[in-house]
Amino acid sequence: MKSVDTLDRVVDWLGPRDDFVIASHADPDGDSLGSSIALAMALEQVGKRSTVVIGQSMPRRYRWLPGASKVVSAERIPTDTRASILVECSEFARSGVRGLDTLESLNIDHHTKNGMYAEVNWIDPSAAATGMMIQELADALGAEVTSAMASLLYVTVLTDTGSFHHSNTDARAMAFASEMLGFGANASVIAEQVYGDYPAARIHLMGDALSSLKRVAAGRIAFMFLPFSAFERRGTRDTEAFVNHAQGIDGVKISLLFKEVDPGVFRISLRSDGSVDVAEVASHHGGGGHPRAAGCQIEGAFESVRDRLVDEIHSVLEDVDG
Ligand code: 5GP
Ligand code: MN
């Protein structure tokens, strides 16, 4: 088993190299995008080149990010560089970009379940967002946090703490957010861009999800289902935070959102109040995440996919609840 590398080791690895491809995970979110672009900016300040690549188009919610226009959407590595940096990505396959595993690689993540697949693996689960690790790295490289980087890094902690709601919202995360405001990030402008500027289709899709809500296990497990036809009809795939509405119901301990992203292919978002480690559950199905917020992908008929997961969670819940 490989052990976690230190920040010094990361700096040593970067030293002789000067051209990178930076990738993160599929379904990119605020932490993966903000961290990747801020890292590219820090590297540029110290004379290193990089290209940020994502395996799909830039999600609408993050198109306004400083530097977003330079992000390349490609399913294969777009340059002939020899080195890759994977940010917030549990394994090569989850990047959604092919070819990364053929390069020398550095892996930066804050999830406990990380495949440690790179030459250098810097993993810090105590960081509320990977963005906090990027700031440490920028510091260690002697790069300054510009106001563009501050906005990107503020987004990482805003989104990965669920707007400072989740259990990772600790003193360090708040101090970091405050520091980014000091460096020029604007909290209300950013909150409006991330959470207050969506197409009407998103609300209709949310309505579909909410009206599918069911509770089982004496109200302790809630789930919602969006069939493929709902995505087709609504013309958006933005389901960010839908699952929180189920999780917020009193008595609900675990909630799930089943998203049929292609016919017979389900991406599942899991949320927990802490009584069940949903990253563990997700890992049994090839996924991962955090103990209270995780995801996985399962193929099959909806009823059997649903029953497999709900039954598994129910039995863990019976063990912890007695
Ligand atoms: P969400 O439900 O918001 O898509 O994801 C919740 C958390 O689980 C995030 O930290 C996300 O990165 C992680 N996650 C979601 N799907 C997967 C997956 O298939 N594999 C891994 N390793 N993590 C996932
Ligand atoms: Mn994350």
Side-chain angles (χ1 to χ4, degrees):
M1 179 76 191
K2 280 191 178 176
S3 62
V4 171
D5 292 299
T6 60
L7 176 55
D8 286 345
R9 176 87 181 86
V10 173
V11 173
D12 287 347
W13 185 87
L14 288 169
R17 296 176 173 83
D18 60 8
D19 189 10
F20 307 90
V21 54
I22 301 175
S24 62
H25 60 74
D27 297 323
D29 58 20
D31 193 22
S32 62
L33 290 168
S35 294
S36 299
I37 304 172
L39 174 59
M41 290 176 174
L43 291 171
E44 189 178 355
Q45 278 186 48
V46 297
K48 296 179 187 292
R49 284 188 311 272
S50 63
T51 305
V52 177
V53 58
I54 55 176
Q56 58 214 104
S57 57
M58 181 63 109
R60 178 191 148 120
R61 159 194 305 272
Y62 296 114
R63 275 183 207 154
W64 64 274
L65 289 176
S69 63
K70 289 200 204 146
V71 173
V72 175
S73 291
E75 287 174 11
R76 258 204 94 63
I77 41 174
T79 64
D80 57 8
T81 172
R82 286 174 36 214
S84 66
I85 307 177
L86 283 99
V87 175
E88 222 211 352
C89 187
S90 55
E91 53 188 337
F92 283 120
R94 181 152 155 77
S95 68
V97 177
R98 289 191 308 277
L100 292 165
D101 53 352
T102 63
L103 309 181
E104 303 168 330
S105 56
L106 163 65
N107 165 18
I108 302 175
D109 192 10
H110 73 138
H111 290 87
T112 40
K113 289 200 184 299
N114 180 288
M116 307 279 279
Y117 47 81
E119 273 163 68
V120 175
N121 301 280
W122 181 37
I123 316 292
D124 179 5
S126 77
T130 313
M132 294 167 63
M133 301 174 70
I134 300 300
Q135 185 216 14
E136 279 181 68
L137 175 54
D139 244 19
L141 291 172
E144 272 175 41
V145 178
T146 60
S147 87
M149 284 164 68
S151 295
L152 292 161
L153 295 176
Y154 182 83
V155 166
T156 71
V157 73
L158 173 71
T159 57
D160 251 39
T161 57
S163 309
F164 309 110
H165 281 52
H166 300 335
S167 58
N168 57 352
T169 310
D170 55 12
R172 214 176 118 204
M174 283 299 202
F176 176 80
S178 168
E179 208 179 331
M180 294 307 112
L181 299 182
F183 286 138
N186 184 318
S188 70
V189 168
I190 291 175
E192 179 64 17
Q193 306 261 40
V194 176
Y195 298 115
D197 185 27
Y198 42 75
R202 173 181 153 79
I203 291 300
H204 293 296
L205 187 67
M206 190 189 291
D208 295 339
L210 297 179
S211 59
S212 74
L213 176 83
K214 297 216 167 34
R215 283 181 296 160
V216 293
R220 290 173 300 166
I221 302 175
F223 60 85
M224 301 187 291
F225 169 43
L226 284 170
F228 184 66
S229 59
F231 291 109
E232 294 279 276
R233 182 165 71 246
R234 303 306 184 189
T236 176
R237 295 194 164 228
D238 181 4
T239 57
E240 187 155 319
F242 286 9
V243 68
N244 298 343
H245 294 290
Q247 186 63 16
I249 299 170
D250 63 353
V252 169
K253 292 175 169 256
I254 314 296
S255 50
L256 304 95
L257 172 63
F258 294 89
K259 296 166 275 188
E260 192 178 11
V261 292
D262 276 308
V265 180
F266 297 88
R267 284 219 52 88
I268 301 127
S269 288
L270 301 104
R271 296 294 184 269
S272 168
D273 67 346
S275 54
V276 170
D277 179 345
V278 285
E280 181 68 32
V281 174
S283 74
H284 300 157
H285 304 279
H290 304 279
R292 292 169 187 249
C296 59
Q297 179 165 318
I298 309 183
E299 298 184 14
F302 171 61
E303 288 74 14
S304 79
V305 170
R306 175 198 64 198
D307 290 350
R308 257 165 76 191
L309 266 185
V310 170
D311 291 351
E312 180 177 344
I313 290 167
H314 193 178
S315 69
V316 181
L317 204 49
E318 291 290 303
D319 289 345
V320 295
D321 268 10

